Amino acid sequence: MMIPGLIVLALVAFTNYLMVFFSCYGLHTYGAWLNKYHRVDLWCLRVLVQNGICVYTTWTTIATLINFNIVLSYEAGVSISDGGTVCLSILLTEVITWFILENFVLEKHVRYILTIYPVVIMALAGNMTKNYDSTAPSRNGVFIAVLLAVACTTFVVRVALVIWRHLKQPLYRGQNTKEVMSPIEIAEKQRKIFS
């Protein structure tokens, strides 16, 4: 039942992406109000909720890729090595795409999400510890080492960018605090728009 298992796991990862989206959308909508009246709650949402969801999302994404490799090997007849290369290529593409999106497109929405890279680093480090042969590294062993270096580098750059932007370009700066709407006012405004 590997194919149905892959489908279910991919759906779990997809619903996790939806949770990240709705979490970021909600925080963007109510963030200014939380920043004005409930800063501790705002930081708890950023650190615990958003980063917690992203840990699970990243882990299920990696698990989906592992399951995809198994399906490629046992159902499609692809060698385990070639399937691993395909899955590692997909992971590399996802890491680079996410880095670009979070730093240049969605930055104001996902500024304080940092846990994606440590999960990727931990998964790759575990795989490298278990499967890497330093005397005769395989193609995938080298790929994992390169991907691990990319993940570590992007994580360091991401943390530096977040710190710099937090200090130099804080969110909600310049926003008139008298015009910050409460959640009830925001809901009323949205109700009028959508009715």
Side-chain angles (χ1 to χ4, degrees):
M1 304 290 288
M2 294 310 295
I3 294 175
L6 174 63
I7 292 169
V8 168
L9 194 51
L11 286 173
V12 169
F14 176 73
T15 57
N16 288 336
Y17 294 137
L18 289 176
M19 285 193 319
V20 171
F21 169 78
F22 288 122
S23 166
C24 292
Y25 176 78
L27 202 57
H28 177 71
T29 303
Y30 301 109
W33 183 80
L34 286 166
N35 188 53
K36 183 177 179 183
Y37 296 108
H38 299 282
R39 280 190 169 209
V40 172
D41 291 343
L42 175 64
W43 280 102
C44 285
L45 286 168
R46 286 174 176 163
V47 173
L48 299 175
V49 175
Q50 286 186 326
N51 280 285
I53 292 170
C54 286
V55 166
Y56 188 55
T57 302
T58 308
W59 197 253
T60 55
T61 300
I62 292 170
T64 302
L65 290 173
I66 292 169
N67 201 334
F68 182 56
N69 187 15
I70 293 168
V71 167
L72 286 176
S73 300
Y74 291 102
E75 302 291 333
V78 176
S79 72
I80 291 177
S81 177
D82 290 342
T85 302
V86 168
C87 292
L88 289 170
S89 299
I90 293 170
L91 183 60
L92 176 63
T93 303
E94 288 177 337
V95 167
I96 291 171
T97 302
W98 177 249
F99 182 78
I100 292 168
L101 286 174
E102 75 178 344
N103 288 300
F104 305 109
V105 179
L106 305 171
E107 195 276 323
K108 291 182 180 178
H109 300 282
V110 298
R111 176 175 290 182
Y112 297 102
I113 295 176
L114 298 171
T115 55
I116 289 166
Y117 300 104
V119 174
V120 172
I121 291 166
M122 187 175 71
L124 290 171
N127 193 322
M128 196 166 169
T129 301
K130 184 177 179 184
N131 299 318
Y132 188 77
D133 182 8
S134 59
T135 58
S138 66
R139 173 184 66 199
N140 286 342
V142 172
F143 200 160
I144 290 169
V146 169
L147 186 51
L148 183 58
V150 167
C152 291
T153 303
T154 53
F155 181 54
V156 169
V157 171
R158 174 69 178 154
V159 169
L161 283 171
V162 167
I163 292 169
W164 182 80
R165 286 177 175 148
H166 178 76
L167 297 173
K168 300 294 183 184
Q169 302 169 354
L171 296 175
Y172 318 117
R173 181 198 302 176
Q175 195 167 9
N176 187 349
T177 55
K178 292 180 182 178
E179 295 179 7
V180 173
M181 292 190 291
S182 72
I184 294 172
E185 293 169 331
I186 293 170
E188 284 296 319
K189 182 179 177 184
Q190 289 176 344
R191 187 178 61 80
K192 289 176 185 175
I193 291 171
F194 293 113
S195 44

